[in-house]
């Protein structure tokens, strides 16, 4: 009994509760995917227990003070996809979605599961753990490439951004990137085959109908993530050129900045839109399409933009001043941004969800550009951005990489993006906003001010804070349901699944030592989809 208790303590026990709930809802159509998810969880548990032994993963420079997190990192995204399959199975039975969309989601699941299995094998190796048709061949090759790419990507993340993430956090990022951009590559290959091969061999099984907004977001993010690798090559060329002409340091920095901004403009305005127009039929240039989309409902959408800019401007100036002249802890100061997210995103999600999709993509693109400028110290903004961003960092950030703002934005955006194809559980769209803006904020504030009983001797999370987070999130969810019903959403949630989802998510926030902004919204979203 003691061995079992030590094996499933804290974070792991909550993960088991989370997975058990999903498997309970699994139907025969997703039987194999559910069994694979259970097998993945068991393998991840074995690898995590072995990897946490002293000296096992000393070669991997993970974030100091964080637990290994392999199990949570390995099962989160596959579990989300199983939940989506269960949800889309209901939609298929009702005739709301096509069979090809469900089959494509299954293909994405197996590719993501392959990512996680391959990374588990890699971690097991590092920690010294012993352990028929052409279409079918293409699928197998697609899955294999995902697994191989996942190992390479997680190696790059851990070695480039050393001490910035635990294995579980790096695994979640890796599986997410490979899943997202593997979908993009599959879409591109499908379009090439469709144009070159006039046969039914390449069907919709390798792609689903995409909206213009999803194509714009996907192409922009992929281009910006590839940009640093290309820019690094150009910097080397500029370095040889400047040394040949004996340029001083200031002229070198100005020249490097000019190369950066010109090449970034070329990628964003030229290369990325070319891909978008190749895979999607845009009536005009994608940038002009965005302008037309915004001004198709100018009063509503421009009013939202003014509302967002005003809130962000006031909040940033106020919070930055507080961070410099007040003794308020940064963890509490950052929670004000969580509340700000509620004020910004809830009205937009209810009345302008498609515009919010686009706005999330634009915000993430801006964050990526600013982080690249900060890391490379691009003149003249690099040092200013670095000074501003470090005013809000905590122990989970470093000079190499600041992730808090990314995790907050993605935690709110991912449930909305993942619900864009089909969703019969409207509360699931609000999963990230509720858990981060309400639950996490109340848990931190109440726990910091009134918390006495701690969940563990070494941790800072308190029982009082967790209770406040769960209660506030449940109250916010129940208050939101009538509003959704009044605005035309078909509300189908019942009280017991909602209480279970809120409780499990709150307990995970209390127990996990991982970056909770990344994991908890996905767990909460998965449970709400059921």
């Amino acid at each position: 009994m003691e061995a079992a208790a030590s094996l499933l303590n804290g974070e792991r026990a909550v993960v088991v509760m989370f997975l058990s709930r999903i498997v309970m809802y699994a139907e025969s159509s997703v039987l194999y995917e559910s069994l694979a998810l259970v097998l993945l969880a068991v393998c991840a548990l074995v690898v995590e227990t072995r990897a946490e032994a002293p000296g096992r993963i000393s070669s991997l420079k993970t974030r100091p003070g964080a637990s290994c997190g392999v199990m949570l990192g390995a099962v989160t995204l596959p579990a989300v996809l199983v939940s989506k399959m269960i949800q889309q199975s209901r939609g298929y039975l009702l005739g709301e979605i096509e069979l090809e969309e469900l089959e494509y989601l299954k293909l994405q699941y197996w590719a993501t599961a392959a990512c996680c299995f391959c990374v588990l094998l890699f971690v097991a190796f590092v920690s010294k753990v012993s352990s028929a048709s052409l279409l079918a061949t293409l699928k197998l090759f697609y899955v294999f490439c995902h697994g191989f790419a996942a190992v390479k990507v997680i190696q790059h993340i851990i070695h480039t951004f050393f001490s910035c993430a635990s294995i579980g956090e790096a695994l979640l990022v890796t599986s997410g990137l490979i899943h997202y951009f593997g979908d993009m590559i599959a879409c591109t290959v499908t379009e090439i085959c469709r144009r070159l091969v006039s046969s039914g061999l390449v069907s919709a099984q390798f792609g689903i109908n995409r909206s213009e907004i999803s194509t714009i977001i996907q192409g922009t993010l992929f281009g910006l993530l590839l940009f640093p690798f290309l820019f690094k090559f150009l910097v080397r060329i500029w370095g040889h050129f400047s040394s040949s002409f004996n340029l001083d340091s200031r002229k070198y920095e100005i020249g490097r900045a000019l190369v950066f901004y010109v090449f970034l403009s070329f990628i964003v305005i030229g290369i990325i839109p070319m891909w978008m127009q190749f895979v999607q039929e845009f009536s005009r240039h994608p940038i002009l399409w965005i302008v037309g989309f915004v001004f198709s409902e100018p009063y509503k959408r421009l009013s939202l933009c003014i509302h967002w800019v005003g809130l962000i401007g006031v909040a940033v100036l106020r919070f930055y001043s507080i961070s410099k002249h007040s003794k308020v802890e940064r963890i509490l100061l950052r929670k004000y941004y969580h509340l700000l997210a509620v004020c910004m995103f809830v009205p937009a999600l209810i009345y302008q969800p498609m515009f919010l999709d686009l706005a999330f993509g634009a915000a993430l693109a801006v964050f990526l550009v600013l982080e690249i400028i900060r890391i490379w110290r691009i003149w003249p903004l690099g040092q200013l951005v670095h000074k501003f961003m470090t005013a809000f960092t905590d122990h989970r950030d470093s000079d190499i990489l600041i992730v808090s703002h990314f995790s907050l934005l993605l935690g709110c955006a991912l449930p909305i993006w993942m619900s864009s194809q089909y969703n019969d559980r409207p509360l699931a769209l609000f999963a990230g906003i509720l858990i981060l803006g309400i639950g996490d904020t109340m848990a931190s504030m109440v726990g910091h001010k009134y918390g006495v009983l701690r969940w563990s001797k070494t941790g800072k999370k308190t029982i009082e804070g967790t209770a406040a987070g769960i209660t506030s999130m449940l109250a916010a969810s129940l208050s939101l349901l009538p509003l959704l019903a009044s605005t035309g959403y078909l509300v189908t949630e019942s009280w017991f699944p909602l209480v279970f989802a809120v409780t499990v998510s709150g307990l995970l926030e209390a127990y996990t030592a991982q970056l909770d902004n990344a994991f908890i919204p996905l767990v909460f979203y998965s449970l709400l989809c059921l």
Side-chain angles (χ1 to χ4, degrees), residues 435 469-471 473-474 477 497-507 524:
I435 194 72
I470 292 174
T471 303
M473 193 161 50
L474 184 60
S477 300
L498 178 59
V499 172
F500 184 87
V502 169
T503 303
V504 170
S505 303
L507 290 175
F524 190 40

Side-chain angles (χ1 to χ4, degrees), residues 151-200:
V151 172
K152 291 299 182 182
V153 170
I154 198 171
Q155 284 180 308
H156 177 76
I157 290 175
I158 291 177
H159 289 104
T160 303
F161 304 106
F162 56 89
S163 302
C164 292
S166 69
I167 297 177
E169 292 164 355
L171 177 52
L172 179 65
V173 173
T174 297
S175 58
L177 289 175
I178 298 300
H179 165 79
Y180 192 57
F181 296 121
D183 170 77
M184 176 180 177
I185 293 172
C187 176
T188 306
V189 172
T190 301
E191 186 62 24
I192 293 173
C193 294
R194 187 187 68 80
R195 297 190 181 194
L196 298 180
V197 182
S198 57
S199 70

Side-chain angles (χ1 to χ4, degrees), residues 27-90:
E27 301 173 353
S28 58
S29 59
V30 293
L31 176 62
Y32 294 118
E33 289 79 8
S34 302
L35 292 176
L37 180 61
V38 174
L39 178 61
L40 177 63
V42 172
C43 294
L45 178 60
V46 173
V47 173
E48 179 173 318
T49 54
R50 298 292 183 87
E52 285 187 341
R56 287 283 187 176
I57 54 172
S58 57
S59 60
L60 299 179
K61 298 178 180 179
T62 56
R63 177 163 59 84
S67 61
C68 186
V70 170
M71 185 177 182
L72 180 60
V75 304
T76 299
L77 192 55
V80 171
L81 293 176
V82 172
S83 292
K84 286 295 295 180
M85 277 186 275
I86 296 172
Q87 184 186 45
Q88 291 207 356
S89 296
R90 297 195 299 265

Side-chain angles (χ1 to χ4, degrees), residues 508-529:
L508 181 60
E509 193 277 336
Y511 277 113
T512 186
Q514 307 304 304
L515 189 60
D516 49 7
N517 286 2
F519 288 97
I520 301 177
L522 293 177
V523 171
F524 190 40
Y525 170 76
S526 301
L527 294 173
L528 289 179
C529 282

Side-chain angles (χ1 to χ4, degrees), residues 394-417:
D394 64 6
H395 65 281
R396 293 171 294 190
D397 297 307
S398 67
D399 285 340
I400 301 176
L401 188 66
I402 297 178
V403 299
S404 299
H405 54 304
F406 286 106
S407 63
L408 175 59
L409 181 66
L410 286 172
C412 295
L414 284 177
I416 301 171
W417 285 344

